[in-house]
Amino acid sequence: KSGDVDSRLFQDKGIIYIVMLNGEIFEYNCVASLIFEGIKMHKSKEEIIDNIAEIFSVEKSQVEQDYIFFVKDMLSNQILVE
């Protein structure tokens, strides 16, 4: 997690808002929220994917695509850092 991220998440009708300390706000769906929270809890990629696939009763391959997309997006927006 980037040091510039305010870890507060605001949820509204399945949408989460991640607030950066600089005031920038990013809007993500609930799947991204679960990915973000899993990463914050130091869960493995596989644990996160398994959990989401079970919650939403979807194929792990679809969740993995979502995981890759959201992690790349969060990295590009400096919400996550490598």
Side-chain angles (χ1 to χ4, degrees):
K1 183 177 91 157
S2 170
D4 294 333
V5 174
D6 183 340
S7 60
R8 291 177 297 156
L9 300 178
F10 301 94
Q11 294 189 322
D12 180 39
K13 298 179 185 171
I15 304 293
I16 60 124
Y17 302 92
I18 297 174
V19 181
M20 304 292 284
L21 292 179
N22 67 5
E24 196 169 7
I25 299 172
F26 294 93
E27 180 180 317
Y28 291 102
N29 67 21
C30 59
V31 172
S33 171
L34 292 170
I35 292 168
F36 184 70
E37 288 299 313
I39 291 169
K40 280 177 41 178
M41 295 171 55
H42 304 286
K43 291 186 176 183
S44 71
K45 175 182 173 181
E46 291 76 22
E47 287 176 299
I48 294 168
I49 290 170
D50 288 347
N51 182 48
I52 293 170
E54 184 177 323
I55 290 171
F56 293 100
S57 299
V58 295
E59 296 291 324
K60 290 181 186 179
S61 60
Q62 177 59 51
V63 178
E64 184 170 17
Q65 290 175 8
D66 291 343
Y67 179 94
I68 292 167
F69 174 81
F70 289 125
V71 168
K72 283 183 180 179
D73 190 64
M74 288 182 197
L75 286 168
S76 71
N77 287 312
Q78 298 180 348
I79 295 168
L80 297 175
V81 292
E82 294 187 78

